[in-house]
Amino acid sequence: MARTEEELEMLERHDELIHHNILPRLEEVEKSQLNVSAQVQEITSQVKEIKSSQTNLELTIMKDGQETRGILSRFMEHYFEVDMQKMKMKSDVIHKDERITLKRFSTREKIVLGIVGAFAGTGGILAGIAGLLQILK
């Protein structure tokens, strides 16, 4: 089977077309495909790092929030304890002043105050008692 000259020319044109036109294009497509694959791997790696960082950040924020709540809780307990102590001290001072005021009354004034308190109660009578004490003096 001898090939004709026409067939040989057609084979040469196809060979030239394949080597100069199609093969360089295929090489470019393969390079692009390798480049895209490398970029996909890099992006996948970055996404994994971002997820890990986000998880670490969430844990850090939760831990800081818990510590802040603990500090605020201790502060509030301390504040209310100090406030209660101040109120108790004021209450003690008021009771002490009342005792001192009662000790300053004479025996006769104490008796009058006791009788008036027993019959009238302790409401608005205090003004009347003060007036009565002024009269007795």
Side-chain angles (χ1 to χ4, degrees), residues 90-134:
K90 284 181 183 178
S91 175
D92 289 345
V93 168
I94 290 171
H95 291 304
K96 185 177 179 182
D97 287 345
E98 286 175 356
R99 279 181 257 141
I100 291 171
T101 304
L102 288 176
K103 286 180 184 176
R104 289 184 187 156
F105 287 140
S106 68
T107 307
R108 185 174 53 156
E109 292 169 337
K110 288 180 186 178
I111 293 170
V112 171
L113 183 61
I115 293 170
V116 171
F119 287 112
T122 57
I125 295 300
L126 292 177
I129 294 171
L132 181 62
L133 292 177
Q134 292 296 327

Side-chain angles (χ1 to χ4, degrees), residues 27-44:
E27 287 176 4
E28 288 297 319
V29 168
E30 288 175 350
K31 286 180 187 178
S32 295
Q33 188 176 12
L34 289 174
N35 189 15
V36 167
S37 294
Q39 288 177 353
V40 166
Q41 287 178 349
E42 183 180 338
I43 290 171
T44 303

Side-chain angles (χ1 to χ4, degrees), residues 10-64:
M10 187 174 73
L11 283 175
E12 278 184 35
R13 279 188 311 217
H14 283 203
D15 188 43
E16 188 176 313
L17 180 69
I18 289 172
H19 287 292
H20 293 293
N21 200 2
I22 296 175
L23 286 179
R25 287 182 181 176
L26 282 176
E27 287 176 4
E28 288 297 319
V29 168
E30 288 175 350
K31 286 180 187 178
S32 295
Q33 188 176 12
L34 289 174
N35 189 15
V36 167
S37 294
Q39 288 177 353
V40 166
Q41 287 178 349
E42 183 180 338
I43 290 171
T44 303
S45 173
Q46 289 175 351
V47 167
K48 286 179 183 177
E49 289 177 21
I50 289 170
K51 285 182 179 179
S52 175
S53 296
Q54 181 181 4
T55 302
N56 289 338
L57 181 62
E58 289 173 356
L59 291 174
T60 301
I61 289 172
M62 288 172 53
K63 183 178 177 184
D64 286 348

